[in-house]
Short mmCIF file of all heavy atoms in Angstrom, two decimals:
data_model
loop_
_atom_site.label_atom_id
_atom_site.label_comp_id
_atom_site.label_asym_id
_atom_site.label_seq_id
_atom_site.Cartn_x
_atom_site.Cartn_y
_atom_site.Cartn_z
N ASN A 570 -11.41 -17.73 16.30
CA ASN A 570 -12.36 -16.71 16.76
C ASN A 570 -11.69 -15.61 17.54
O ASN A 570 -11.83 -15.52 18.75
CB ASN A 570 -13.44 -17.36 17.65
CG ASN A 570 -14.15 -18.48 16.93
OD1 ASN A 570 -13.81 -19.64 17.11
ND2 ASN A 570 -15.09 -18.13 16.10
N PRO A 571 -10.95 -14.74 16.85
CA PRO A 571 -10.30 -13.65 17.56
C PRO A 571 -11.35 -12.72 18.16
O PRO A 571 -12.48 -12.64 17.68
CB PRO A 571 -9.52 -12.93 16.46
CG PRO A 571 -10.19 -13.31 15.19
CD PRO A 571 -10.74 -14.68 15.40
N VAL A 572 -10.95 -12.04 19.22
CA VAL A 572 -11.83 -11.05 19.82
C VAL A 572 -11.43 -9.68 19.28
O VAL A 572 -10.26 -9.31 19.31
CB VAL A 572 -11.72 -11.07 21.37
CG1 VAL A 572 -12.47 -9.90 21.98
CG2 VAL A 572 -12.23 -12.40 21.90
N LEU A 573 -12.40 -8.95 18.74
CA LEU A 573 -12.12 -7.61 18.23
C LEU A 573 -12.54 -6.60 19.29
O LEU A 573 -13.65 -6.67 19.82
CB LEU A 573 -12.88 -7.35 16.94
CG LEU A 573 -12.67 -8.39 15.82
CD1 LEU A 573 -13.34 -7.91 14.53
CD2 LEU A 573 -11.20 -8.66 15.58
N ALA A 574 -11.65 -5.67 19.60
CA ALA A 574 -11.91 -4.70 20.66
C ALA A 574 -11.88 -3.30 20.07
O ALA A 574 -10.96 -2.97 19.32
CB ALA A 574 -10.86 -4.84 21.75
N ALA A 575 -12.89 -2.50 20.38
CA ALA A 575 -12.99 -1.18 19.76
C ALA A 575 -13.27 -0.10 20.79
O ALA A 575 -13.85 -0.35 21.84
CB ALA A 575 -14.11 -1.20 18.72
N VAL A 576 -12.85 1.11 20.45
CA VAL A 576 -13.16 2.28 21.26
C VAL A 576 -14.63 2.66 21.03
O VAL A 576 -15.35 3.04 21.94
CB VAL A 576 -12.22 3.45 20.89
CG1 VAL A 576 -12.66 4.74 21.56
CG2 VAL A 576 -10.78 3.09 21.27
N GLY A 577 -15.08 2.51 19.77
CA GLY A 577 -16.47 2.82 19.43
C GLY A 577 -17.04 1.81 18.46
O GLY A 577 -16.30 1.26 17.65
N PRO A 578 -18.33 1.57 18.51
CA PRO A 578 -18.95 0.51 17.71
C PRO A 578 -18.85 0.68 16.20
O PRO A 578 -18.90 -0.31 15.47
CB PRO A 578 -20.42 0.52 18.16
CG PRO A 578 -20.62 1.82 18.87
CD PRO A 578 -19.29 2.25 19.39
N MET A 579 -18.70 1.92 15.73
CA MET A 579 -18.61 2.10 14.27
C MET A 579 -17.38 1.42 13.69
O MET A 579 -17.33 1.12 12.49
CB MET A 579 -18.63 3.58 13.91
CG MET A 579 -20.02 4.00 13.49
SD MET A 579 -20.07 5.28 12.26
CE MET A 579 -19.49 6.69 13.08
N GLN A 580 -16.38 1.17 14.54
CA GLN A 580 -15.18 0.47 14.06
C GLN A 580 -15.54 -0.92 13.53
O GLN A 580 -14.93 -1.39 12.58
CB GLN A 580 -14.15 0.36 15.19
CG GLN A 580 -13.48 1.67 15.52
CD GLN A 580 -12.56 1.53 16.74
OE1 GLN A 580 -12.96 1.82 17.85
NE2 GLN A 580 -11.35 1.08 16.54
N PHE A 581 -16.52 -1.58 14.16
CA PHE A 581 -16.92 -2.91 13.69
C PHE A 581 -17.55 -2.83 12.29
O PHE A 581 -17.38 -3.72 11.47
CB PHE A 581 -17.91 -3.56 14.66
CG PHE A 581 -17.33 -3.80 16.03
CD1 PHE A 581 -17.92 -3.25 17.15
CD2 PHE A 581 -16.19 -4.57 16.18
CE1 PHE A 581 -17.38 -3.46 18.41
CE2 PHE A 581 -15.64 -4.80 17.45
CZ PHE A 581 -16.24 -4.24 18.56
N GLU A 582 -18.28 -1.75 12.05
CA GLU A 582 -18.89 -1.58 10.73
C GLU A 582 -17.82 -1.43 9.66
O GLU A 582 -17.96 -1.92 8.55
CB GLU A 582 -19.81 -0.35 10.72
CG GLU A 582 -21.04 -0.52 11.58
CD GLU A 582 -21.90 0.72 11.56
OE1 GLU A 582 -22.18 1.23 10.46
OE2 GLU A 582 -22.27 1.20 12.65
N VAL A 583 -16.74 -0.72 10.03
CA VAL A 583 -15.65 -0.56 9.07
C VAL A 583 -15.01 -1.92 8.80
O VAL A 583 -14.72 -2.27 7.66
CB VAL A 583 -14.59 0.44 9.60
CG1 VAL A 583 -13.42 0.54 8.64
CG2 VAL A 583 -15.21 1.81 9.80
N VAL A 584 -14.83 -2.71 9.85
CA VAL A 584 -14.25 -4.05 9.69
C VAL A 584 -15.12 -4.87 8.74
O VAL A 584 -14.63 -5.46 7.77
CB VAL A 584 -14.13 -4.79 11.05
CG1 VAL A 584 -13.76 -6.25 10.84
CG2 VAL A 584 -13.10 -4.11 11.93
N GLU A 585 -16.41 -4.87 8.98
CA GLU A 585 -17.32 -5.67 8.15
C GLU A 585 -17.26 -5.23 6.69
O GLU A 585 -17.10 -6.04 5.78
CB GLU A 585 -18.74 -5.53 8.68
CG GLU A 585 -19.72 -6.36 7.87
CD GLU A 585 -21.08 -6.46 8.54
OE1 GLU A 585 -21.39 -5.63 9.41
OE2 GLU A 585 -21.83 -7.36 8.15
N ASP A 586 -17.33 -3.91 6.50
CA ASP A 586 -17.32 -3.34 5.16
C ASP A 586 -16.03 -3.73 4.42
O ASP A 586 -16.06 -4.16 3.27
CB ASP A 586 -17.42 -1.82 5.30
CG ASP A 586 -17.54 -1.12 3.96
OD1 ASP A 586 -18.67 -1.06 3.46
OD2 ASP A 586 -16.50 -0.67 3.43
N ARG A 587 -14.92 -3.60 5.09
CA ARG A 587 -13.65 -3.87 4.41
C ARG A 587 -13.41 -5.36 4.21
O ARG A 587 -12.81 -5.77 3.22
CB ARG A 587 -12.50 -3.21 5.18
CG ARG A 587 -12.62 -1.67 5.09
CD ARG A 587 -11.40 -0.95 5.56
NE ARG A 587 -10.19 -1.38 4.89
CZ ARG A 587 -8.96 -1.00 5.24
NH1 ARG A 587 -8.82 -0.17 6.26
NH2 ARG A 587 -7.92 -1.42 4.59
N MET A 588 -13.88 -6.20 5.12
CA MET A 588 -13.73 -7.64 4.95
C MET A 588 -14.50 -8.08 3.70
O MET A 588 -14.01 -8.87 2.91
CB MET A 588 -14.26 -8.39 6.18
CG MET A 588 -13.36 -8.28 7.38
SD MET A 588 -11.72 -8.95 7.13
CE MET A 588 -11.95 -10.59 7.76
N VAL A 589 -15.70 -7.55 3.54
CA VAL A 589 -16.52 -7.94 2.39
C VAL A 589 -15.93 -7.37 1.10
O VAL A 589 -15.75 -8.09 0.13
CB VAL A 589 -17.98 -7.47 2.59
CG1 VAL A 589 -18.78 -7.65 1.32
CG2 VAL A 589 -18.62 -8.22 3.75
N ASN A 590 -15.59 -6.08 1.12
CA ASN A 590 -15.18 -5.42 -0.12
C ASN A 590 -13.73 -5.67 -0.52
O ASN A 590 -13.43 -5.73 -1.69
CB ASN A 590 -15.45 -3.92 -0.04
CG ASN A 590 -16.93 -3.64 -0.07
OD1 ASN A 590 -17.64 -4.21 -0.91
ND2 ASN A 590 -17.41 -2.84 0.85
N GLU A 591 -12.83 -5.78 0.46
CA GLU A 591 -11.43 -5.95 0.10
C GLU A 591 -10.97 -7.39 0.18
O GLU A 591 -10.11 -7.81 -0.58
CB GLU A 591 -10.55 -5.12 1.04
CG GLU A 591 -10.47 -3.67 0.64
CD GLU A 591 -9.84 -2.87 1.76
OE1 GLU A 591 -8.78 -3.27 2.27
OE2 GLU A 591 -10.45 -1.85 2.16
N PHE A 592 -11.52 -8.13 1.13
CA PHE A 592 -11.02 -9.49 1.32
C PHE A 592 -12.03 -10.52 0.87
O PHE A 592 -11.80 -11.72 0.97
CB PHE A 592 -10.59 -9.69 2.77
CG PHE A 592 -9.47 -8.78 3.15
CD1 PHE A 592 -9.71 -7.54 3.73
CD2 PHE A 592 -8.16 -9.13 2.86
CE1 PHE A 592 -8.67 -6.68 4.02
CE2 PHE A 592 -7.12 -8.27 3.16
CZ PHE A 592 -7.37 -7.04 3.74
N ASN A 593 -13.16 -10.01 0.40
CA ASN A 593 -14.12 -10.88 -0.25
C ASN A 593 -14.57 -12.02 0.66
O ASN A 593 -14.70 -13.15 0.21
CB ASN A 593 -13.46 -11.42 -1.52
CG ASN A 593 -14.49 -11.79 -2.54
OD1 ASN A 593 -15.68 -11.55 -2.33
ND2 ASN A 593 -14.05 -12.38 -3.63
N THR A 594 -14.73 -11.73 1.93
CA THR A 594 -15.17 -12.77 2.84
C THR A 594 -16.19 -12.20 3.83
O THR A 594 -15.96 -11.15 4.42
CB THR A 594 -13.98 -13.39 3.61
OG1 THR A 594 -14.49 -14.20 4.67
CG2 THR A 594 -13.06 -12.34 4.19
N PRO A 595 -17.32 -12.86 3.98
CA PRO A 595 -18.27 -12.39 4.99
C PRO A 595 -17.72 -12.64 6.38
O PRO A 595 -16.87 -13.51 6.57
CB PRO A 595 -19.52 -13.24 4.73
CG PRO A 595 -19.03 -14.45 4.01
CD PRO A 595 -17.77 -14.07 3.30
N ILE A 596 -18.15 -11.84 7.35
CA ILE A 596 -17.65 -11.99 8.71
C ILE A 596 -18.85 -12.06 9.65
O ILE A 596 -19.86 -11.41 9.42
CB ILE A 596 -16.70 -10.82 9.07
CG1 ILE A 596 -16.17 -10.95 10.49
CG2 ILE A 596 -17.37 -9.47 8.88
CD1 ILE A 596 -15.01 -10.00 10.81
N ARG A 597 -18.73 -12.91 10.67
CA ARG A 597 -19.81 -13.00 11.67
C ARG A 597 -19.31 -12.47 13.00
O ARG A 597 -18.24 -12.83 13.45
CB ARG A 597 -20.27 -14.45 11.81
CG ARG A 597 -21.56 -14.73 11.06
CD ARG A 597 -22.38 -15.84 11.71
NE ARG A 597 -21.61 -17.04 11.92
CZ ARG A 597 -21.53 -18.03 11.02
NH1 ARG A 597 -22.15 -17.94 9.86
NH2 ARG A 597 -20.81 -19.10 11.28
N PHE A 598 -20.13 -11.62 13.60
CA PHE A 598 -19.76 -11.08 14.91
C PHE A 598 -20.66 -11.68 15.97
O PHE A 598 -21.83 -11.98 15.71
CB PHE A 598 -19.99 -9.56 14.95
CG PHE A 598 -19.05 -8.78 14.10
CD1 PHE A 598 -19.52 -7.96 13.08
CD2 PHE A 598 -17.69 -8.82 14.34
CE1 PHE A 598 -18.66 -7.21 12.31
CE2 PHE A 598 -16.81 -8.06 13.57
CZ PHE A 598 -17.31 -7.26 12.56
N SER A 599 -20.13 -11.78 17.16
CA SER A 599 -20.98 -12.14 18.27
C SER A 599 -20.52 -11.30 19.47
O SER A 599 -19.35 -11.29 19.83
CB SER A 599 -20.86 -13.64 18.49
OG SER A 599 -21.19 -13.95 19.79
N ARG A 600 -21.48 -10.56 20.02
CA ARG A 600 -21.15 -9.58 21.07
C ARG A 600 -20.65 -10.26 22.34
O ARG A 600 -21.19 -11.27 22.77
CB ARG A 600 -22.39 -8.76 21.40
CG ARG A 600 -22.14 -7.28 21.53
CD ARG A 600 -23.44 -6.57 21.79
NE ARG A 600 -23.82 -6.73 23.19
CZ ARG A 600 -23.35 -5.96 24.17
NH1 ARG A 600 -22.52 -4.97 23.89
NH2 ARG A 600 -23.70 -6.16 25.41
#
Side-chain angles (χ1 to χ4, degrees):
N570 303 97
V572 171
L573 306 187
V576 171
M579 261 212 291
Q580 287 175 265
F581 298 122
E582 292 179 48
V583 177
V584 170
E585 181 169 19
D586 185 83
R587 292 192 54 188
M588 287 299 266
V589 171
N590 290 314
E591 278 168 50
F592 297 93
N593 206 5
T594 169
I596 180 168
R597 258 209 307 270
F598 291 121
S599 157
R600 224 177 78 83

